[in-house]
Amino acid sequence: MAAFKRKRGVHVTAEKTTKKVKFVADDGNTEQNAVNEIVVPKPVSMGKWTNKERVLIFSSRGINFRTRHLMQDLRTLMPHSKADTKMDRKDKLFVVNEVCEIKNCNKCLFFEAKKKQDLYMWISNCPHGPSAKFLVQNIHTLAELKMTGNCLKGSRPLLSFDPTFDKEPHYALLKELFIQTFSTPRYHPKSQPFVDHVFTFSIADNRIWFRNYQIIEEDASLVEIGPRFVLNLIKIFQGSFGGPTLYENPNFKSPNLHRRQLRLAAAAKVREKQTLKEMQKVKRSAAKEDLEKDVTADVFVTPADKKPVEIQTEPPEPKAEKKHKFKPSKRQRQQMGRR
């Protein structure tokens, strides 16, 4: 294959970013060297950053380690995100709009922890809305999964949605909210001009399942990277973190009610076992009574003669006491023998 040598003279066209460069093909024969011209395209990252979407990702106090790692993974995957300190539990949710305004963010992912075991996630368009509240379940972080997939940090993702998102109006609203929140703006300073992974939002069992896959260049197959979690929709509000309710999920069951039903089911099992034990005891006692009452036991029993009843009117005579004989001891017997 012929090697290429660049000449000193470089011809630049009218555009500053696009260059036309002359190359000389050197194949060992200096007399038949060919001059070739190629056009060097302008770099992709020299475009103008117009979509100024910024996402604030933070949480309330009381979250566990898994939620903290999930937030860190989302910040890694979303180069247009910002972080903030944990919000106090006593503050109302409307304070989040002020925090987003201070951080110059127009989208927000807020994780709210309750009872140190339930995790809720708010996705909001600050400060005018709409916003959606989800219950987050089945969280698996990047460090926990240890998948074989990998992608460039800061690369822009593709967003893949289930066909159900286009059939129902509340899912269509959530789709637009997800697109504006999770998609990395083009020409963002922290982003890379590559598309090598895809975010999938699929609907199953009335829940939204989030997955992150790597796109392999050779055969365009998918390998999961992580993280993964499940979103159970609770309500969609017209405003940001409040306001009139646009949609309420009729299939949603609160985790407190779910835990109560589990406790009642466990208590019912215990009561059933106790009743079974009592019934077994009653059956055993009835079987013992049947064995004790033998019908053939009285066949050979003859009735005894009845004796006349004697009534004593006088006290009985005292019995004569027996006189005990004196029995000498061995020493006394020896003394008596000496005498």
Side-chain angles (χ1 to χ4, degrees):
M1 186 175 177
F4 292 98
K5 293 183 180 179
R6 178 179 293 186
K7 282 191 173 182
R8 293 184 180 178
V10 177
H11 176 68
V12 181
T13 59
E15 283 189 26
K16 294 183 179 179
T17 54
T18 305
K19 297 181 181 180
K20 186 178 290 186
V21 186
K22 291 183 179 181
F23 290 91
V24 178
D26 188 7
D27 54 355
N29 190 1
T30 57
E31 296 179 356
Q32 298 178 355
N33 286 342
V35 178
N36 298 328
E37 288 187 1
I38 64 169
V39 178
V40 180
K42 60 181 179 180
V44 183
S45 59
M46 293 297 291
K48 191 176 181 181
W49 176 34
T50 55
N51 183 12
K52 299 298 179 72
E53 293 283 349
R54 298 182 183 89
V55 183
L56 181 64
I57 302 177
F58 72 119
S59 68
S60 65
R61 295 196 179 276
I63 61 172
N64 54 7
F65 70 96
R66 185 172 279 108
T67 308
R68 188 174 68 251
H69 292 179
L70 175 63
M71 284 197 307
Q72 188 61 38
D73 294 343
L74 290 176
R75 288 168 187 162
T76 305
L77 293 173
M78 301 163 64
H80 61 293
S81 64
K82 288 188 177 183
D84 195 23
T85 57
K86 295 178 182 177
M87 196 179 74
D88 199 357
R89 292 181 182 178
K90 297 180 181 178
D91 296 337
K92 295 183 179 180
L93 291 177
F94 291 103
V95 183
V96 181
N97 295 325
E98 299 178 3
V99 177
C100 290
E101 187 178 357
I102 293 170
K103 288 284 185 177
N104 196 16
C105 296
N106 47 13
K107 296 291 184 295
C108 182
L109 282 178
F110 178 69
F111 292 91
E112 185 180 7
K114 290 184 178 179
K115 294 187 177 181
K116 294 186 178 181
Q117 53 185 346
D118 301 330
L119 181 64
Y120 298 91
M121 185 176 75
W122 288 82
I123 300 179
S124 175
N125 180 27
C126 301
H128 303 295
S131 59
K133 185 179 181 181
F134 300 92
L135 175 67
V136 187
Q137 299 172 327
N138 299 338
I139 301 174
H140 298 283
T141 60
L142 277 169
E144 182 182 357
L145 288 174
K146 294 182 180 178
M147 294 290 184
T148 57
N150 193 8
C151 66
L152 183 65
K153 184 177 180 181
S155 60
R156 300 177 64 217
L158 292 175
L159 298 184
S160 172
F161 290 93
D162 195 273
T164 315
F165 278 96
D166 298 326
K167 296 178 181 179
E168 299 186 18
H170 62 282
Y171 281 137
L173 178 61
L174 290 177
K175 178 181 178 181
E176 186 63 30
L177 200 58
F178 288 150
I179 289 173
Q180 296 183 15
T181 304
F182 287 95
S183 62
T184 304
R186 193 179 183 187
Y187 303 126
H188 191 277
K190 293 184 180 179
S191 67
Q192 299 291 338
F194 301 101
V195 179
D196 58 352
H197 65 289
V198 55
F199 292 160
T200 61
F201 297 89
S202 55
I203 296 175
D205 195 19
N206 295 319
R207 290 170 174 83
I208 300 173
W209 302 67
F210 175 86
R211 296 290 184 270
N212 180 24
Y213 295 99
Q214 177 196 358
I215 304 173
I216 298 178
E217 297 179 1
E218 288 77 11
D219 53 354
S221 60
L222 299 179
V223 179
E224 188 172 355
I225 305 171
R228 56 164 68 171
F229 54 88
V230 180
L231 299 176
N232 192 358
L233 178 63
I234 302 174
K235 283 183 180 182
I236 300 176
F237 300 95
Q238 184 178 354
S240 179
F241 295 97
T245 303
L246 298 179
Y247 175 79
E248 185 175 358
N249 188 7
N251 301 317
F252 175 73
K253 187 187 296 182
S254 67
N256 291 330
L257 180 61
H258 180 64
R259 285 191 290 267
R260 182 173 179 271
Q261 291 178 349
L262 290 178
R263 288 196 299 269
L264 290 176
K269 285 185 178 180
V270 172
R271 284 197 298 270
E272 186 178 358
K273 287 182 179 179
Q274 289 178 352
T275 52
L276 286 174
K277 285 183 179 179
E278 290 176 359
M279 290 173 63
Q280 289 175 357
K281 284 183 180 179
V282 171
K283 287 182 180 179
R284 288 172 185 172
S285 61
K288 285 182 179 179
E289 289 177 0
D290 294 340
L291 291 174
E292 288 174 358
K293 293 181 181 180
D294 192 2
V295 181
T296 61
D298 300 334
V299 174
F300 301 101
V301 175
T302 55
D305 297 333
K306 293 184 179 180
K307 294 180 180 180
V309 180
E310 296 180 358
I311 300 174
Q312 293 182 356
T313 57
E314 296 180 357
E317 295 181 356
K319 294 181 179 180
E321 294 182 358
K322 294 181 180 180
K323 292 183 179 179
H324 296 284
K325 295 181 179 180
F326 175 73
K327 187 176 180 181
S329 61
K330 184 177 180 180
R331 188 175 180 182
Q332 291 177 352
R333 287 198 301 270
Q334 288 177 357
Q335 290 179 357
M336 288 172 64
R338 289 174 184 174
R339 290 177 185 174

